[in-house]
Amino acid sequence: MPEVDRLSRTLRTWEEETLNYHSTGATNGPTEAVNLIIEKTRRLGHGFRNWDNYRLRLLLHCGVTWYTAPIKRIRGRNPS
């Protein structure tokens, strides 16, 4: 049967990767997720002209947590 032959070829081709996944549990899933977000952002951007804006938009969409310095209080106490 051609379907079984094709399945066996596919399994033989991916044998090492499949065994590595089952022995270590490591996948490239997170990397693929970020790549999909980048591609989606690129398609929505319709050709960014400014590389810095494109980079910032990608970092924002990919869930990067930004460090912001604490803000000094204007008043020493809360208003009554």
Side-chain angles (χ1 to χ4, degrees), residues 25-37:
T27 68
N28 67 339
T31 303
E32 289 297 325
V34 170
N35 285 339
L36 286 174
I37 292 172

Side-chain angles (χ1 to χ4, degrees), residues 4-49:
V4 175
D5 289 338
R6 184 172 180 198
L7 176 62
S8 68
R9 279 195 311 264
T10 302
L11 290 176
R12 262 188 261 122
T13 302
W14 290 93
E15 180 180 11
E16 184 180 353
E17 288 84 357
T18 304
L19 293 176
N20 285 340
Y21 168 73
H22 287 292
S23 64
T24 64
T27 68
N28 67 339
T31 303
E32 289 297 325
V34 170
N35 285 339
L36 286 174
I37 292 172
I38 289 171
E39 284 301 310
K40 181 180 174 185
T41 305
R42 184 184 58 80
R43 285 191 303 268
L44 291 174
H46 301 292
F48 290 100
R49 294 175 187 263

Side-chain angles (χ1 to χ4, degrees), residues 44-60:
L44 291 174
H46 301 292
F48 290 100
R49 294 175 187 263
N50 185 336
W51 168 251
D52 292 331
N53 290 343
Y54 177 58
R55 182 178 164 276
L56 287 174
R57 184 176 285 203
L58 288 178
L59 289 172
L60 287 172

